[in-house]
Amino acid sequence: MSDFPHEEFADALAANDEYIKSFKYSELTGVAQRGLAIVTCMDSRINPLSVAGMKSGDAKILRNAGARVTEDVLRTLVLATYLLGVKRILIMPHTNCRMAMGEEADIHALIQKEHGVDTRSLEFRTVTDQREALITDVNRVRSYPLLNAGVVVGGAIYDVTNGKITPVDC
Ligand SMILES: [Zn+2]
């Protein structure tokens, strides 16, 4: 065990001291008030709640590199749809995503070159055709046998240059 690295998190902890002074969500439960789950990328340009007009308590946000539907996303969505009020799921990758800009092998080669680490035991799930991958992922959720019946699943692409969400027929 080691001491918490206070120095590295000083800004976040200081901001939290301010945040709690006007904290207004103490009455919320873990149920998504507006029945929405958004699966999106970890990209720091995306504020998933804001882009869809949501606030704390309204929606479940699931994030990973590339907004891909992984086993863990499915696991989380199953729980969210049975226990936490989720009735609609939006899969939302974005423009200019590093995970949609090249082959899996290129990312492994880049990390190998710059950091000397062989990451090929991981599958990064990069895509070469973002739209096709989105259609596959949306249908992966739709056809997942354990998902709560009646849940609606849609796909859309978020534009990081202007904030627009463009729905995609899947
Ligand atoms: Zn991304």
Side-chain angles (χ1 to χ4, degrees):
M1 211 189 308
S2 56
D3 291 343
F4 183 84
H6 278 274
E7 202 174 315
E8 288 79 359
F9 296 99
D11 56 343
L13 294 173
N16 182 253
D17 286 341
E18 290 304 310
Y19 179 71
I20 60 176
K21 287 177 185 168
S22 57
F23 186 72
K24 52 183 185 288
Y25 302 117
S26 54
E27 305 299 317
L28 291 176
T29 70
V31 172
Q33 296 296 313
R34 292 176 66 181
L36 177 68
I38 299 176
V39 179
T40 194
C41 185
M42 66 171 170
D43 194 291
S44 45
R45 292 168 289 190
I46 306 168
N47 185 334
L49 287 177
S50 296
V51 306
M54 301 283 153
K55 59 183 191 314
S56 291
D58 286 347
K60 301 293 174 195
I61 307 297
L62 289 64
R63 306 188 74 155
N64 61 32
R68 301 307 313 280
V69 173
T70 62
E71 294 304 313
D72 197 60
V73 166
L74 290 168
R75 172 186 75 92
T76 305
L77 289 175
V78 166
L79 291 165
T81 59
Y82 284 109
L83 303 179
L84 299 169
V86 167
K87 303 199 170 350
R88 47 192 179 136
I89 298 166
L90 183 65
I91 318 282
M92 192 180 76
H94 64 97
T95 61
N96 198 27
C97 183
R98 186 66 185 84
M99 290 291 103
M101 286 180 185
E103 302 283 349
E104 183 102 4
D106 299 336
I107 307 272
H108 289 301
L110 178 67
I111 295 173
Q112 175 81 62
K113 178 166 165 279
E114 298 198 345
H115 300 278
V117 176
D118 183 351
T119 54
R120 287 175 297 177
S121 58
L122 279 177
E123 188 190 0
F124 288 137
R125 295 179 187 252
T126 61
V127 301
T128 49
D129 185 331
Q130 187 176 53
R131 206 178 173 86
E132 277 306 310
L134 176 57
I135 292 169
T136 299
D137 278 350
V138 165
N139 284 290
R140 188 162 193 232
V141 177
R142 279 182 185 150
S143 64
Y144 195 60
L146 296 181
L147 200 71
N148 200 353
V151 170
V152 177
V153 188
I157 295 175
Y158 176 77
D159 189 332
V160 294
T161 66
N162 60 16
K164 185 172 173 51
I165 295 171
T166 301
V168 173
D169 292 333
C170 297

